[in-house]
Amino acid sequence: MKVINYCAIALVILLSGCKATKPTDKENTEKSDKVVVKATELTMSELCQPLTFSCHEKQKQRAYTKDVWAGVVKTHTFVTDHDALFMLNELKAKTDLDKALIHKRKAEIKNRQGNYKASLQDNLKAQSLDVLPARSYLSLLLLEIRTRFVLDEFDATKSRANSLWQYLERPYHPEVATILGFIAKENDDLADYDKWVSLIKQNETEERASKLLGVLTEESDKQEQEESAPVYKSTGKYPKELPKFKKVTRGPNAPKIVFRREPRYPAQAARYDTEGQVAMTFDVNKKGEPVNIKVVYAYPEGVFEEAGVESLEKWRYEVQLDGNGEVIDGKDFYLVLAWAVE
């Protein structure tokens, strides 16, 4: 199996892309009857028949337009979801890959906002272009399944789950198995329910299986199901959107970063291609250490907070002290860390 590289990058998420081209004809180099034929960009479904993850992942990378890439990256930083959508609408897509990238990001943001129908529309537009790299396509397919489930489109959910099994070439994914188990329970289909429970137990650790099966056995009303993903349930501890941080004007003697520690990618999150963000506020002490660290935003909740705090604790600053021995401009720092599959 191919090794998957995961990266966790402060402030910026690097999104992956791919390029796959096939010339329609050879160029005749003789001057007298020179014919130039433009290369034809094949879709992923044309390159892989049938389209599977193993084949899809091997295709050469296509290049995003620089401005579009940079614009999408910015939506992963300090902006609110509202501002991020505005920025995405202002981007000028020059290729189908650009369009797919923009629609993908819109789908993710609208889903987080709870605007599921609009999220689904952007999701399907991104998929229909059939040019995204394997992991981006997989994340959209999983998002579509979650979204259709939340919208109570149970038949469509099961249909797209079958598409996922064909793509993965195996009939199992932990989150989707949990969703299908819940649907089976709602439909009083005991045999199907038992099948998904058995698969979860066979494929997961005891601790992970317990968490997943706990979702199926919880008695919660429909509203709670609609407000969050079937596996991840917010406690309301954090705001729904990344906070707007107040800009602090600092002088030339303010703390200067001299060492950064990249955050680790939690094993469970890496295993299931989970992406997310954590925002923290902190101060800097006389030793140049971040102190009074507080997590003020995390999505999804309970996944990346520990890794984020661990990373920030290792950061070091060069500080200047005032006449009272206090750090100059050492208060009210903030940091957003983002984790993404590369």
Side-chain angles (χ1 to χ4, degrees), residues 13 21 67 134 146-147 167 179 181 185 252 304 316 329:
I13 296 180
T21 62
D67 291 344
R146 289 197 298 268
T147 305
Y167 184 65
I179 290 173
K185 184 179 180 182
F304 296 104
R316 291 295 179 267
D329 289 335

Side-chain angles (χ1 to χ4, degrees), residues 21-39:
T21 62
K22 183 178 180 181
T24 57
D25 202 350
K26 292 182 179 179
E27 178 181 334
N28 187 335
T29 57
E30 293 184 11
K31 226 174 186 183
S32 59
D33 56 350
K34 183 175 180 181
V35 178
V36 178
V37 181
K38 289 185 178 180

Side-chain angles (χ1 to χ4, degrees), residues 166-215:
Q166 294 171 15
Y167 184 65
L168 294 177
E169 299 180 277
R170 66 187 295 254
Y172 181 77
H173 181 280
E175 183 179 358
V176 178
T178 306
I179 290 173
L180 295 178
F182 183 91
I183 291 175
K185 184 179 180 182
E186 287 291 292
N187 293 335
D188 294 323
D189 188 340
L190 184 59
D192 201 39
Y193 175 80
D194 287 342
K195 179 185 79 172
W196 294 115
V197 169
S198 177
L199 282 171
I200 290 171
K201 289 180 177 179
Q202 290 173 19
N203 287 277
E204 306 300 326
T205 64
E206 184 176 347
E207 180 182 2
R208 174 67 173 171
S210 178
K211 290 181 180 179
L212 293 173
L213 295 175
V215 176

Side-chain angles (χ1 to χ4, degrees), residues 82-97:
H82 178 271
D83 291 339
L85 289 173
F86 177 81
M87 292 167 62
L88 291 168
N89 287 331
E90 292 296 302
L91 294 176
K92 305 298 182 184
K94 296 180 180 178
T95 67
D96 282 348
L97 189 59

